[in-house]
Amino acid sequence: MIEMAPILTHRAIDGGNANLDALGVAYVVVAIVYTLILSAELYLLYRHRLAFCVRIRSIKVVFAAVSMLHIYLILVLLVYPQNGLFPCSAEFWVMSVFLPSGMAFFQACNARVLTAYESQRRLRRNFLEGARKKRLSFTPRGLYTAFSDLDAASKVYLGTIVGLIISFAPALVLFFGSRRFHAAYGLFGPVTDAVQCRRGAEWVPSIFVQLFWTAIVGPWILWKIRRINDVHYWAWQTRLAVIAGLPGTPLWMAFTYSKLPAMVSLNKYFAPAGWFIPSLIVCQQVLIVIPLRDAYKSQPRRASISSSTEETLSSESSSISKKSPQVVLSKELKPKASMQALEFSIEHSIEPLIAWTASREFTAENTIFLREVRNFKKKWAALRSVTTAQRRQMFTDASLIFFTLVNPFTAETPINIEYKIFRSLQSTFATVEYDPYMPSDSTNRSQSPVMRENVVCPWEDTLSRPASIDSDTSTSSASSSTRSIVPSQFTEEVFDAAFESIKYLVFTNTWPRYVEAELSGIPFTP
């Protein structure tokens, strides 16, 4: 007896039984495999969370963006296998909450590069500028000024919250008012099956929210970072991701509402929301792969540069004593990635290094700290004897450096030093109060922070004052005031441990990149 060939059932996205054919299984396998890959990548990223290229991106924001986008991506991949088994109402809320929120957090990650760039520019102009704050005035003009003073990432965060609040209200009205999501009640819309439920106009507002982040905020960030060419490829990461996210919304709308036979036929096997998948994958991968690559790439460089230090120190020490500073810097030191080359640069020509770190590496706070400590020691170590007023001024100068560059609670971009060193500095400056706000213009000057002896304020740049000011008070009162504020162990060497720590950090991270850029001959425009 001849057996008949089994009848092949034509499967499609029609709201019927689950599609567990070869295509459906392939969608499930892809979803599982990609989830495992993404989990492994996030684990590796978490392992390297202390690396600068990861810390600067904010790992919490990266995890939030990747997770929200992945929830929507998996839902899209399972549309064909589930064939409408996933409730349409649940998908509506995923579309209205997770996709816009994911894109918002993603753009917040991108906005961080602009925030870092603006912060570095302020540091290079005047490191005290970023530490200065204005008191909030609860007036329309005051609130507008406060919003204008926010950095790019904070503006995106605030926009995310406001956008979710604004979009949540229409989503509630559309969900409870439309009969597409529930046949028992509603004010408008027809009662439909699982397929037609996903094609109504109720879905458009959530798409327009997503379009706002990709087509408006994204290009705005691209325009603002157009001149950035950092060594961490952060700007290129942003460009790739934003450009990849642009086609998703137009394609979704075209395949959702088009009546063309070819598009309708393709929709039976590939959900219209699937056109978001390429952009979602690109957005996720650039947030993970590029910083991971940078983290792994920096490890052998640090090892190599450290091993070559001892070999070059002896050969360079003799040449430094024989040549002029300009000749040595251009012909001997720059081509050699050694600690002595870095020390010579710090002592004689640190401004090019500061400009490079601010524009390319976003670590200008480290080199600025080295410069300020160098200037601090030159200013005060040259004095043979220090008066009580000068000692008080020395302590004020040191306090200003500590609160604006070292203290993570007050500095806009603090340096990264060991906790033991920080605790020692924190104990030294424990008697000082830091007031970052603009002094009041009131006539009562006794309350102005610059008039109180135990307060330092970044609005008054005491670092530019000469070290030879005279005391305005009597010797006895000045002595007692100084003893009560300035610790007895305080000297001009207070920052020596932090200086050595940051110098080694610059040597193992920044200096190799800087030397490579100099040797490659790549033109640098700060």
Side-chain angles (χ1 to χ4, degrees):
M1 185 176 181
I2 302 176
E3 295 183 0
M4 298 294 293
I7 299 176
L8 297 178
T9 304
H10 181 74
R11 311 299 300 173
I13 302 178
D14 54 10
N17 296 326
N19 292 328
L20 299 179
D21 56 350
L23 181 60
V25 173
Y27 277 125
V28 175
V29 171
V30 169
I32 295 175
V33 171
Y34 183 66
T35 300
L36 294 176
I37 293 175
L38 195 67
S39 300
E41 290 175 332
L42 289 175
Y43 172 74
L44 292 176
L45 190 69
Y46 182 78
R47 287 283 303 272
H48 291 84
R49 64 190 181 278
L50 299 180
F52 175 77
C53 54
V54 179
R55 286 190 293 109
I56 197 174
R57 288 168 166 86
S58 180
I59 193 169
K60 294 180 180 179
V61 181
V62 171
F63 270 61
V66 170
S67 301
M68 289 187 176
L69 293 177
H70 194 64
I71 291 174
Y72 184 74
L73 186 148
I74 295 301
L75 177 63
V76 173
L77 284 175
L78 297 181
V79 167
Y80 180 84
Q82 290 185 347
N83 195 15
L85 295 180
F86 191 81
C88 178
S89 57
E91 184 176 340
F92 174 81
W93 285 111
V94 172
M95 188 81 166
S96 300
V97 176
F98 283 92
L99 181 61
S101 300
M103 295 307 301
F105 276 107
F106 169 73
Q107 296 298 352
C109 292
N110 296 331
R112 287 182 64 84
V113 65
L114 180 58
T115 299
Y117 177 67
E118 293 174 345
S119 174
Q120 294 292 305
R121 291 182 65 185
R122 284 194 298 270
L123 280 172
R124 187 187 170 193
R125 283 197 307 267
N126 183 358
F127 72 95
L128 298 177
E129 183 179 336
R132 296 166 178 167
K133 297 181 180 180
K134 299 178 181 178
R135 299 188 186 278
L136 178 61
S137 175
F138 290 96
T139 62
R141 184 176 181 179
L143 294 176
Y144 175 77
T145 302
F147 177 79
S148 301
D149 292 339
L150 291 176
D151 57 61
S154 298
K155 289 179 180 177
V156 174
Y157 294 147
L158 182 60
T160 301
I161 297 174
V162 174
L164 288 177
I165 294 174
I166 294 176
S167 62
F168 190 71
L172 284 174
V173 173
L174 291 173
F175 178 78
F176 289 103
S178 177
R179 285 183 288 268
R180 289 180 182 272
F181 306 111
H182 31 71
Y185 61 92
L187 302 175
F188 52 84
V191 177
T192 61
D193 56 18
V195 175
Q196 293 302 319
C197 174
R198 291 167 168 84
R199 298 181 183 275
E202 292 85 351
W203 299 78
V204 174
S206 61
I207 289 297
F208 276 118
V209 174
Q210 187 269 343
L211 185 64
F212 167 78
W213 291 111
T214 57
I216 297 179
V217 177
W220 172 74
I221 295 175
L222 287 180
W223 172 255
K224 298 290 285 186
I225 68 171
R226 63 192 183 278
R227 293 191 178 95
I228 301 179
N229 185 26
D230 62 295
V231 297
H232 303 292
Y233 304 103
W234 197 359
W236 276 109
Q237 159 194 314
T238 302
R239 295 182 182 105
L240 287 174
V242 171
I243 293 173
L246 291 176
T249 300
L251 287 173
W252 177 86
M253 297 187 70
F255 278 84
T256 298
Y257 300 107
S258 175
K259 302 298 183 181
L260 294 178
M263 291 185 175
V264 174
S265 177
L266 183 60
N267 289 343
K268 295 180 180 179
Y269 310 99
F270 187 76
W275 296 105
F276 287 113
I277 292 178
S279 64
L280 295 178
I281 293 177
V282 172
C283 292
Q284 290 176 322
Q285 291 303 313
V286 296
L287 290 179
I288 301 174
V289 174
I290 292 180
L292 271 181
R293 176 182 176 274
D294 196 7
Y296 280 109
K297 186 180 178 181
S298 62
Q299 291 177 349
R301 180 190 290 110
R302 290 196 296 269
S304 175
I305 194 65
S306 299
S307 63
S308 65
T309 305
E310 298 297 331
E311 300 176 4
T312 56
L313 283 177
S314 58
S315 62
E316 291 178 356
S317 58
S318 59
S319 64
I320 291 176
S321 60
K322 297 178 181 179
K323 299 183 179 181
S324 62
Q326 290 80 4
V327 175
V328 172
L329 185 60
S330 60
K331 294 185 177 180
E332 295 293 336
L333 293 183
K334 280 189 177 180
K336 299 178 181 180
S338 69
M339 177 63 81
Q340 193 157 349
L342 172 60
E343 291 173 344
F344 189 89
S345 177
I346 295 172
E347 185 67 21
H348 298 283
S349 181
I350 197 174
E351 292 303 326
L353 180 59
I354 291 176
W356 188 87
T357 54
S359 301
R360 299 291 304 278
E361 198 184 49
F362 301 157
T363 58
E365 65 277 3
N366 294 327
T367 50
I368 289 174
F369 175 76
L370 295 178
R371 181 193 65 189
E372 293 305 315
V373 173
R374 178 203 69 182
N375 294 343
F376 174 79
K377 296 194 68 173
K378 284 183 177 180
K379 178 178 178 179
W380 295 106
L383 298 180
R384 294 182 178 179
S385 60
V386 180
T387 65
T388 54
Q390 289 172 335
R391 180 171 170 79
R392 179 67 184 90
Q393 183 188 349
M394 183 199 306
F395 187 67
T396 301
D397 289 354
S399 301
L400 200 57
I401 294 174
F402 171 74
F403 285 110
T404 56
L405 288 174
V406 180
N407 192 340
F409 304 104
T410 57
E412 180 187 24
T413 309
I415 60 174
N416 186 20
I417 57 175
E418 293 86 345
Y419 182 72
K420 182 179 179 181
I421 299 176
F422 169 71
R423 286 291 297 171
S424 176
L425 290 173
Q426 189 180 42
S427 175
T428 300
F429 299 102
T431 59
V432 182
E433 179 185 347
Y434 177 72
D435 187 355
Y437 293 99
M438 179 188 295
S440 175
D441 293 331
S442 62
T443 57
N444 187 8
R445 300 296 295 172
S446 62
Q447 297 302 317
S448 177
V450 297
M451 299 299 292
R452 290 178 283 166
E453 291 184 343
N454 66 329
V455 176
V456 292
C457 182
W459 290 90
E460 183 168 336
D461 189 358
T462 61
L463 297 173
S464 60
R465 292 176 179 173
S468 58
I469 63 171
D470 297 327
S471 176
D472 295 331
T473 58
S474 64
T475 303
S476 58
S477 61
S479 300
S480 60
S481 174
T482 301
R483 282 194 299 267
S484 64
I485 298 175
V486 182
S488 58
Q489 70 274 18
F490 171 77
T491 66
E492 70 274 6
E493 299 176 350
V494 63
F495 292 115
D496 280 5
F499 183 89
E500 293 299 321
S501 176
I502 294 301
K503 183 177 69 173
Y504 183 76
L505 180 65
V506 171
F507 173 66
T508 55
N509 291 272
T510 302
W511 188 246
R513 299 180 192 269
Y514 179 67
V515 171
E516 288 177 5
E518 291 291 311
L519 291 176
S520 64
I522 300 175
F524 167 60
T525 55

